Amino acid sequence: MSDDEQFESFKVSLADFMEQTSALVDRVLSDETHKAHLAPLVPWVSEVMSASMERELIEQVGLAYWSRMGMTSTSTPARLKILELNGLADAIRNSLQPGQDSGTEASFAQTHLLGVCSLTVGSLLDAIGDMFPLVRGILRSTQDAIDVASS
């Protein structure tokens, strides 16, 4: 796989991860039994999660991550990050399937997955460092929104 193909694969994986994370956040926040106290924050969380899925942001995060990590098609960290993002997106997708649902309450697995998503966004933040303040700010807000949903 060439460097360009690897980079495109990373962006696709990142976009899918962000989309699935947003769906999971929505699902967990819809648990009125345990999350009703967060109702005033739901519009902010929804706005942040929506912004985190914008194509331009995904491109910027991809470029920032790629340039900071110095990744190439032979880079093990690149392949591992893609596997991590794909694995989490698949786990979230599976937890949201009909039949996996526990009624109106978020399941333990869904709540646990939120924590893992927060850690993954945190690892992206750590890798990007301070060189890309706009990207860092949006990712930090995304992590905060995930943390609000898991509180």
Side-chain angles (χ1 to χ4, degrees), residues 6 9 17 26 37 49-51 64 74 89 99 102-103 120 126 132 135 137 142-143:
Q6 187 92 352
S9 179
F17 166 74
D26 287 346
H37 65 286
M49 294 309 296
S50 179
T74 58
S102 58
T120 298
D126 289 344
F132 304 91
V135 171
T142 301
Q143 187 178 33

Side-chain angles (χ1 to χ4, degrees), residues 53-108:
M53 294 184 300
E54 289 182 11
R55 178 83 177 129
E56 185 177 321
L57 176 73
I58 297 296
E59 185 77 28
Q60 289 175 352
V61 170
L63 286 170
Y65 189 80
W66 222 249
S67 65
R68 261 311 256 182
M69 298 302 288
M71 293 187 172
T72 65
S73 61
T74 58
S75 173
T76 299
R79 291 190 306 275
L80 290 175
K81 185 54 78 177
I82 290 168
L83 288 172
E84 175 187 2
L85 294 171
N86 288 342
L88 274 171
D90 287 344
I92 295 167
R93 192 176 294 107
N94 288 337
S95 82
L96 295 174
Q97 286 181 352
Q100 300 294 324
D101 212 339
S102 58
T104 60
E105 296 181 15
S107 69
F108 173 78

Side-chain angles (χ1 to χ4, degrees), residues 2-148:
S2 74
D3 290 352
D4 290 340
E5 290 170 332
Q6 187 92 352
F7 180 63
E8 290 304 315
S9 179
F10 175 78
K11 290 190 302 187
V12 167
S13 297
L14 179 61
D16 188 32
F17 166 74
M18 290 298 205
E19 182 179 318
Q20 292 303 313
T21 299
S22 180
L24 180 61
V25 166
D26 287 346
R27 169 66 185 99
V28 169
L29 287 177
S30 71
D31 178 356
E32 293 181 9
T33 304
H34 297 102
K35 302 296 179 176
H37 65 286
L38 297 174
L41 296 172
V42 169
W44 174 80
V45 169
S46 294
E47 185 177 330
V48 168
M49 294 309 296
S50 179
S52 72
M53 294 184 300
E54 289 182 11
R55 178 83 177 129
E56 185 177 321
L57 176 73
I58 297 296
E59 185 77 28
Q60 289 175 352
V61 170
L63 286 170
Y65 189 80
W66 222 249
S67 65
R68 261 311 256 182
M69 298 302 288
M71 293 187 172
T72 65
S73 61
T74 58
S75 173
T76 299
R79 291 190 306 275
L80 290 175
K81 185 54 78 177
I82 290 168
L83 288 172
E84 175 187 2
L85 294 171
N86 288 342
L88 274 171
D90 287 344
I92 295 167
R93 192 176 294 107
N94 288 337
S95 82
L96 295 174
Q97 286 181 352
Q100 300 294 324
D101 212 339
S102 58
T104 60
E105 296 181 15
S107 69
F108 173 78
Q110 290 169 333
T111 304
H112 179 72
L113 278 169
L114 269 182
V116 176
C117 291
S118 179
L119 291 172
T120 298
V121 172
S123 75
L124 290 169
L125 279 164
D126 289 344
I128 289 171
D130 296 330
M131 291 180 60
F132 304 91
L134 177 63
V135 171
R136 187 170 175 73
I138 294 172
L139 278 179
R140 182 68 196 140
S141 293
T142 301
Q143 187 178 33
D144 289 346
I146 294 167
D147 291 344
V148 163

